[in-house]
Amino acid sequence: MVSKMVSRYITPALLAVLFLLATGLHAASSFTATFSAKEVELGKAVTLVLSASGTKPKLNSIKLAKLEAYFHVNASADVDFDEQTGQQTWKLRLTPYNTGKIILAPLLFNNEYGQTISLTVTEAIDKKTGTAIRLLTDVSSKQPWVREQVLLSIHLQTNIARAQFKLASATVANAIVEQLNIHHFKVKEVTHLPHHYKTGWAIFPLASGKMKVTLPPVELIRDGVTTHRFYPAPVELDVQALPLYIPATIPVGRVTLSSEHPVRYALQHSLDDYNLSLTGQNMLLSNLPEITNQINSNQSIRVYPEATDAIQTNTHNGITSRIDYVIPVKALEQGYSRLDDIKLTYFDPVSGTLKTHYRPNLTLLSINTWLAWLFTIVALLLLGYALLKLIQWLLKFREKIVAYATAIMSLKKPCTPEELKTAVSLMSRAEGSSANVTLPSWFDTIKYAKPEIAFKQEISRLLYMDRPATVPLELREKMLNIAFANVPIARWFYRAS
């Protein structure tokens, strides 16, 4: 009876004490989270101050997933404890991914939620010019195939004419990440931000499944000082597995093959260089296929070991890889011979299918050395003969021009009938006729601007009947027109003189 009465009064008292202790402990662990500022520029960091009473549990046990959705979180600072106030403090450096107003849900610590907090993220500002710096990001694909290039593009618009940027190398599990070169171009349209800069990363996932890609910041450097650090938001990729029939050696991306002069002439048993270029679009250099195992000697062509030059170009549009081949070849037989076609196989990520193309290989038209020398000698003789004929023609043409020029000069000034006959003789000789040609016969040899019958009669009367002291101007002009019509080039000399 006594024990029942004791338990009846003591048990509630103990429960009350425990409740008061729990209430005291809960009150002692009051948890707060506050930003150091109400707004921050994009590319700048803001401090989030977390504080709570007591030493355990530590504040760095808080899960930061809610913050990481909006910020790059630098949680490297240690948790500080103030013995006088009994408060622990943890300061986080947060750099936002995007502009706008961010409202953070309360963080949970020691079974207690903090208050809801907000932050306004404004556009980045170039302090020197007072103008905005706009940031645009883009992801080429969020559902790539294994080994397909994914571009995370960073596009910055600014008023800075010679901005400098720094990209750090990135390491992502189950992926290869290549940083891209910076491309600067100026927009000609009327805008306050004419200078555009493009850069980013090319990501090549190596395994299928869900993948989170977190990349380092793009640092903007102004006058040697880093003014902004733009962190791209983490990218969630759902990587598709390649079809089972695709071997691991098949490249993912478009592959092309080009060659210089695939059809060429060669001397038998003489070495010649065969140049090929293998290009992979959106592909790493290490993923280009091997083609030299398809270029083999045959009965008519011998192939020697090749020399290669490999180049990988990381532009803002992605990665282009190229291998240049120089393959020595020798024609063993005279006539027509060729190498087997080259088979190019790659997985096209756009259509999701395997592509196969056959590229025509080298074709040689070879000739024996002695036969080539014979053809060369014959060609040189023919060329010499043609050159001789050309020189003879040019000499005759020169004589013709000189004769016509002499006749024209005598007709330009007042002349006697005898001088007119001399001019006719010169023009007749220039056309290959006799110098003692009669006037009617000369009229018949004229090719262009044939004179009228009345003119012929008037000239005949002048030379053989009237015999004036000088030839009338009208007749001289008609004779000049005949000369100019038969040798048009003489008209230019006549004008120049």
Side-chain angles (χ1 to χ4, degrees), residues 36-306:
S36 60
K38 293 183 179 180
E39 66 177 30
V40 66
E41 286 182 31
L42 188 66
K44 301 280 190 178
V46 66
T47 302
L48 177 64
V49 181
L50 305 177
S51 62
S53 299
T55 59
K56 292 184 179 180
K58 280 194 172 184
L59 284 170
N60 55 13
S61 63
I62 297 175
K63 294 182 178 180
L64 305 177
K66 293 180 180 178
L67 298 176
E68 292 171 346
Y70 302 97
F71 303 94
H72 167 76
V73 180
N74 184 350
S76 60
D78 295 329
V79 178
D80 295 327
F81 179 72
D82 191 337
E83 295 182 355
Q84 294 182 353
T85 60
Q87 291 277 332
Q88 58 173 324
T89 305
W90 193 27
K91 295 181 179 180
L92 305 177
R93 296 287 288 174
L94 308 181
T95 307
Y97 297 133
N98 300 297
T99 58
K101 188 170 184 178
I102 300 174
I103 299 176
L104 285 179
L107 297 174
L108 178 63
F109 172 69
N110 196 22
N111 296 324
E112 180 184 358
Y113 284 98
Q115 69 275 31
T116 300
I117 53 177
S118 63
L119 179 71
T120 301
V121 183
T122 62
E123 282 188 336
I125 300 295
D126 176 32
K127 290 185 178 180
K128 196 166 185 178
T129 61
T131 56
I133 302 171
R134 292 177 187 162
L135 174 69
L136 302 173
T137 60
D138 180 63
V139 180
S140 61
S141 174
K142 291 190 176 181
Q143 291 183 320
W145 297 92
V146 172
R147 290 188 279 126
E148 178 187 355
Q149 174 185 265
V150 178
L151 283 183
L152 177 60
S153 301
I154 306 293
H155 182 190
L156 282 158
Q157 303 174 15
T158 176
N159 200 35
I160 306 173
R162 293 178 179 84
Q164 293 179 313
F165 296 91
K166 180 181 177 182
L167 276 74
S169 57
T171 302
V172 177
N174 296 321
I176 298 174
V177 182
E178 292 274 341
Q179 62 188 58
L180 304 177
N181 295 335
I182 297 166
H183 176 62
H184 174 212
F185 61 98
K186 189 174 181 180
V187 179
K188 294 182 179 179
E189 63 186 21
V190 179
T191 175
H192 295 295
L193 303 173
H195 294 280
H196 291 225
Y197 299 87
K198 286 188 176 181
T199 185
W201 293 267
I203 306 160
F204 295 87
L206 302 179
S208 60
K210 301 290 184 180
M211 177 181 292
K212 185 177 181 180
V213 179
T214 303
L215 296 170
V218 177
E219 298 184 11
L220 171 60
I221 301 173
R222 187 81 152 102
D223 299 329
V225 178
T226 300
T227 60
H228 296 81
R229 288 182 175 87
F230 300 102
Y231 282 89
V235 179
E236 299 283 348
L237 300 180
D238 186 8
V239 184
Q240 305 177 71
L242 293 172
L244 295 176
Y245 60 85
I246 303 295
T249 56
I250 295 296
V252 177
R254 188 166 178 265
V255 179
T256 58
L257 183 65
S258 61
S259 61
E260 293 182 2
H261 311 297
V263 179
R264 61 178 63 193
Y265 299 92
L267 291 175
Q268 186 181 4
H269 300 300
S270 295
L271 278 176
D272 194 7
D273 286 337
Y274 178 36
N275 297 316
L276 283 170
S277 290
L278 180 67
T279 304
Q281 299 291 340
N282 306 326
M283 189 182 304
L284 292 171
L285 188 62
S286 58
N287 291 337
L288 283 176
E290 175 62 44
I291 63 167
T292 54
N293 54 4
Q294 302 184 57
I295 306 175
N296 300 311
S297 301
N298 56 29
Q299 185 177 356
S300 54
I301 300 178
R302 180 172 296 167
V303 178
Y304 294 90
E306 74 282 352

